[in-house]
Amino acid sequence: MPTATEKFNHADDATAFVANHARAKWHDQALWFVRQKRDRMANSLPEWEALRETASSIKAYTIAHLAELLEQFERQATKLGAHVHFAKDAAEHNEIVLGILQQHGVKKAAKSKSMLTEECHLNPFLNRHGIDVVDTDLGEWIVQLRNEPPSHIVLPAIHIKREEVGELFHEKIGTEKGASDPTYLARAARRKLRETFMEAEAGITGVNFAVAETGGFVVCTNEGNADLGVSLPKLHIACLGIEKLIPQAKHLAVFLRLLARSATGQPITTYSSHFHGPRPGGELHIVLVDNGRTDILRSDEFRRSLNCIRCGACMNTCPVYRRSGGHSYQSTIPGPIGSILAPSRDAETYYSLPYACSLCGSCDDVCPVKIDIHHQLLTWRREIAVRGYLPWSKRLSMRMMSLVLRRPWLYRLAGSLGRFALRWSPRFMIYNGLNAWGKQRELPLAPKQSFRALYRQRQAKNGKS
Amino acid sequence: MSSSSKDQILAAIRRQQLPPRELPPLDFAPLVYDDPQQHYTETLTGIGGRVVVANSIEDVQRDLDQHDLYVEARQICSLVPGIARANVDLDALDDPHQAETIEFAVLPAKFAVAENGALWVTDENVKHRVIYFICQHLAFVVPRDQILSNMHQAYERLSFDSPGFGAFIAGPSKTADIEQSLVIGAHGPKSTVVYLLG
């Protein structure tokens, strides 16, 4: 979360990120590699587009019938022996989780990756109440040890280099100094986190899909951390946003086929675990969280952003995300989808995120549930301007632009003035703080003539008037 | 507390009357393989698993005997009848934490899915489901005639009307969280072999 004292602007944080050119390039390529894996997987299924279309329709159905589906899920889950809780907001979610943990005298909990608990800032809350929460997904554990938030929803440590992980592990768990081999480091983490799994008195997980028809839910991981975390202790707490519901079990086929292929270019995650009720002798709590989702549901413009299954494909493909890093969004969910969701929560603070977009539309093309992401970002820009959240510099330049674009004579005049100025002005007149387009790049050489003049000449040469 | 939050959330949803919709029919033709076994083998091999065709349980045993991970394991648990050297009885363990020292497990799976290399397993007759995740190395035995092409066929087989646990497991546990470098063996088993039996 941005601090209140300084107004957050994505471009400022992105500037800091790209200042290290080599690193920004490395980040860009790491994500593009994942995007290419996704393409190979998508292309291997002839029915890929039919799957996306179906998934989108299932989600639209879910949102249109969400109240009934939630009631059905609660009924079914309760019948299976689970305890179902509803939380209006992050604070209530955290209180519910704390209450359950305290009731069982839990001092240490193993958590698997969950963007919802990140959104609710559950870890610091539980820490303040004397409960130790360990994030057990390797990437998530790395960022937890570094005391920073994940920079990507599927690849939490994508911004960190192996040497930095080596340094961190040397300091925190005593691996050899200078060791940076991923296998060596991952094995060291495995040994350390095994201790956590053995000690934890509760497992906390997120949820990928909850099935209204059956009252069960599915958790997907590659590492097996969620399953270890909830199969050893007696207590399992599963936290999910209310939009994670799907109507029927057979719909899982559609979503499981799309999820991992879109996320990391795998045919499926290693583990897709289906939990229906507590295990024998255990206790299962399910916490359904609103935290602003019903507000989004009531908005005709942004409702479809609730389709999101958190695969991260829009981040991997986004030219802005790849070159500005997840932390520059200062929001739990970064990237294109995060730039829709964050202003839905607080448009004034996150006014700059819908502008962190070139409107190229690549996100729409890869989204497995066909959210019209770039259209929604454009809609947010209008909304933010209407609500008056733009800084004066942007407001002024927009007003100037509209002044010029509405008057053809002024547009022509501005064009010729611009072409003259760009050719003949001294450097300091063009490359200065007022011209954002001249930062870190050379402007193209201005043509001598306008397009109109060129076109007139061509027509004259071809003997047409 | 929570009942009133529930009412408020449901009321907030219902304030926005959205036109009812129809569920889409799942009527597209999913990919079906001419030779699911071959595709399963390719897929699982591609994600770090090993596939062995076995005509009998003796074949399974012969293959196990050739591998150090099994031969050198001190604690072996098998839920497949006829496997030698199994010396840990899962049913005899009171607490799942006791399974931590199991090095090798041989477990049955219900069916396999060719499109993604997954096996379907459940906690039916498995006292501690943690065995799927906590052992160091894992061998599965699945009937060779139970290889489906895709996940739609898989869910046609499944029903979830009573409490229980089930999972699709595709290969050994893995992570790519350090610079996108694939490491096989994250928190769960470090290796997986699948015996296609029959």
Side-chain angles (χ1 to χ4, degrees):
Chain A
M1 277 282 284
T3 51
T5 46
E6 212 168 303
K7 200 159 165 69
F8 160 60
N9 177 5
H10 172 267
D12 296 339
D13 292 47
T15 304
F17 185 83
V18 291
N20 185 339
H21 187 73
R23 196 186 183 95
K25 194 172 170 68
W26 165 79
H27 186 263
D28 176 20
Q29 285 172 340
L31 287 155
W32 188 248
F33 170 70
V34 183
R35 156 77 210 258
Q36 286 174 316
K37 283 204 292 180
R38 172 256 169 223
D39 288 353
R40 279 198 291 279
M41 272 298 148
N43 294 339
S44 72
L45 289 185
E47 67 269 32
W48 184 255
E49 289 306 315
L51 277 173
R52 291 177 71 211
E53 193 59 54
T54 307
S56 181
S57 305
I58 296 170
K59 277 291 179 180
Y61 176 93
T62 302
I63 299 303
H65 299 263
L66 190 56
E68 301 95 275
L69 292 176
L70 281 167
E71 285 173 323
Q72 187 188 12
F73 177 78
E74 184 196 22
R75 234 175 11 250
Q76 296 300 95
T78 308
K79 213 189 283 177
L80 293 169
H83 303 268
V84 180
H85 310 257
F86 286 82
K88 290 192 298 293
D89 51 26
E92 189 177 10
H93 162 266
N94 292 349
E95 287 293 344
I96 290 170
V97 174
L98 175 68
I100 300 164
L101 294 175
Q102 282 177 337
Q103 201 191 324
H104 289 80
V106 173
K107 288 276 154 229
K108 184 167 195 163
K111 185 153 84 63
S112 73
K113 198 167 69 193
S114 145
M115 283 303 116
L116 179 79
T117 57
E118 288 286 341
E119 172 187 323
C120 295
H121 303 288
L122 178 68
N123 289 10
F125 175 83
L126 292 181
N127 291 159
R128 281 201 298 280
H129 289 84
I131 294 171
D132 186 12
V133 200
V134 181
D135 274 307
T136 54
D137 170 80
L138 179 58
E140 191 96 342
W141 190 56
I142 291 169
V143 295
Q144 187 184 32
L145 289 177
R146 283 165 60 104
N147 203 13
E148 62 181 26
S151 71
H152 187 291
I153 59 174
V154 175
L155 320 162
I158 189 75
H159 60 294
I160 303 169
K161 294 215 168 199
R162 63 180 72 188
E163 292 79 15
E164 293 166 319
V165 177
E167 197 63 25
L168 179 76
F169 281 13
H170 171 65
E171 186 193 318
K172 303 277 183 183
I173 59 170
T175 53
E176 272 174 58
K177 183 148 186 66
S180 65
D181 175 56
T183 304
Y184 169 78
L185 295 173
R187 287 282 185 276
R190 175 189 172 96
R191 282 192 297 275
K192 187 72 193 164
L193 286 168
R194 273 278 161 136
E195 292 168 18
T196 299
F197 288 124
M198 292 300 282
E199 289 162 10
E201 298 132 326
I204 302 174
T205 68
V207 166
N208 290 91
F209 306 101
V211 185
E213 172 192 44
T214 67
F217 58 90
V218 175
V219 179
C220 304
T221 72
N222 280 317
E223 299 182 3
N225 55 317
D227 289 293
L228 276 172
V230 302
S231 300
L232 287 166
K234 288 195 163 72
L235 178 60
H236 176 182
I237 305 175
C239 308
L240 67 149
I242 52 175
E243 85 286 10
K244 287 281 156 116
L245 255 66
I246 59 172
Q248 299 167 2
K250 68 178 180 191
H251 298 142
L252 286 168
V254 174
F255 289 102
L256 289 183
R257 296 185 84 196
L258 286 167
L259 180 64
R261 287 184 171 97
S262 298
T264 52
Q266 297 172 256
I268 191 169
T269 50
T270 305
Y271 303 103
S272 308
S273 299
H274 297 50
F275 298 91
H276 283 81
R279 68 182 165 88
E283 202 171 305
L284 174 64
H285 291 261
I286 302 171
V287 189
L288 292 152
V289 185
D290 179 349
N291 204 32
R293 286 163 177 76
T294 51
D295 295 333
I296 300 178
L297 187 136
R298 289 205 299 274
S299 145
D300 289 335
E301 284 87 7
F302 304 117
R303 182 174 305 127
R304 284 170 72 175
S305 63
L306 293 176
N307 284 9
C308 179
I309 57 172
R310 303 290 190 263
C311 71
C314 61
M315 293 161 208
N316 304 340
T317 201
C318 178
V320 178
Y321 175 90
R322 282 189 277 120
R323 290 173 180 83
S324 61
H327 286 158
S328 66
Y329 293 78
Q330 295 206 18
S331 142
T332 305
I333 314 271
I337 186 68
S339 301
I340 299 171
L341 297 173
S344 301
R345 199 148 294 149
D346 179 356
E348 190 170 3
T349 302
Y350 296 103
Y351 80 92
S352 65
L353 292 188
Y355 291 88
C357 164
S358 66
L359 298 177
C360 74
S362 181
C363 45
D364 301 23
D365 293 341
V366 297
C367 177
V369 284
K370 300 189 89 166
I371 303 172
D372 50 342
I373 302 176
H374 89 279
H375 288 284
Q376 296 198 20
L377 288 170
L378 191 59
T379 308
W380 255 126
R381 292 186 188 185
R382 195 188 60 216
E383 189 69 17
I384 280 161
V386 168
R387 294 194 204 169
Y389 293 147
L390 286 179
W392 68 268
S393 57
K394 205 150 202 148
R395 277 207 298 265
L396 188 71
S397 56
M398 294 253 207
R399 194 160 299 167
M400 297 275 285
M401 208 61 175
S402 111
L403 197 83
V404 173
L405 291 176
R406 270 183 295 163
R407 293 169 181 79
W409 65 270
L410 191 56
Y411 176 77
R412 284 198 291 276
L413 178 70
S416 59
L417 282 175
R419 278 189 300 281
F420 181 82
L422 278 175
R423 281 191 164 260
W424 303 109
S425 302
R427 245 193 111 72
F428 75 89
M429 293 276 285
I430 300 172
Y431 297 95
N432 58 41
L434 290 175
N435 179 16
W437 290 340
K439 281 184 200 162
Q440 297 148 334
R441 66 166 88 78
E442 288 294 303
L443 293 176
L445 192 66
K448 288 194 179 108
Q449 289 173 304
S450 69
F451 175 76
R452 296 163 76 96
L454 271 176
Y455 190 73
R456 250 197 321 269
Q457 272 172 16
R458 206 183 80 135
Q459 295 294 81
K461 209 162 75 187
N462 293 349
K464 289 173 201 156
S465 57
Chain B
M1 170 194 74
S2 55
S3 82
S4 74
S5 291
K6 173 187 162 187
D7 293 343
Q8 285 175 39
I9 293 170
L10 294 179
I13 297 169
R14 290 197 161 111
R15 259 200 303 280
Q16 176 72 34
Q17 271 300 326
L18 296 173
R21 299 181 69 110
E22 295 282 312
L23 268 174
L26 304 184
D27 58 358
F28 52 86
L31 194 54
V32 174
Y33 303 102
D34 294 335
D35 187 350
Q37 181 181 322
Q38 190 204 336
H39 197 86
Y40 180 81
T41 306
E42 281 168 20
T43 312
L44 189 71
T45 310
I47 54 179
R50 192 166 68 88
V51 180
V52 178
V53 177
N55 292 318
S56 63
I57 204 74
E58 289 75 27
D59 279 358
V60 174
Q61 187 65 53
R62 258 192 294 280
D63 185 81
L64 284 172
D65 287 336
Q66 285 168 26
H67 287 89
D68 292 347
L69 296 175
Y70 170 81
V71 175
E72 288 168 13
R74 279 154 303 181
Q75 290 199 18
I76 298 175
C77 164
S78 175
L79 298 178
V80 176
I83 298 297
R85 298 190 56 237
N87 56 4
V88 181
D89 178 4
L90 200 61
D91 288 332
L93 305 182
D94 300 324
D95 184 318
H97 292 84
Q98 294 168 301
E100 213 270 324
T101 47
I102 295 175
E103 286 156 73
F104 202 101
V106 185
L107 306 171
K110 307 273 179 198
F111 59 81
V113 185
E115 71 158 310
N116 53 26
L119 295 172
W120 176 253
V121 301
T122 72
D123 65 352
E124 194 188 334
N125 303 322
V126 180
K127 185 177 174 191
H128 301 295
R129 70 183 190 213
V130 78
I131 187 66
Y132 292 111
F133 314 102
I134 206 165
C135 63
Q136 300 292 324
H137 300 279
L138 188 50
F140 284 111
V141 178
V142 64
R144 180 136 70 115
D145 57 5
Q146 298 297 309
I147 306 175
L148 313 177
S149 279
N150 61 59
M151 293 293 278
H152 306 286
Q153 295 169 339
Y155 280 100
E156 275 168 31
R157 294 244 181 141
L158 302 177
S159 66
F160 300 99
D161 33 24
S162 51
F165 173 83
F168 288 104
I169 299 183
S173 77
K174 56 178 169 282
T175 182
D177 274 345
I178 301 175
E179 270 197 30
Q180 280 299 296
S181 306
L182 180 67
V183 177
I184 302 276
H187 296 306
K190 291 188 271 196
S191 75
T192 298
V193 51
V194 174
Y195 294 102
L196 304 175
L197 182 66

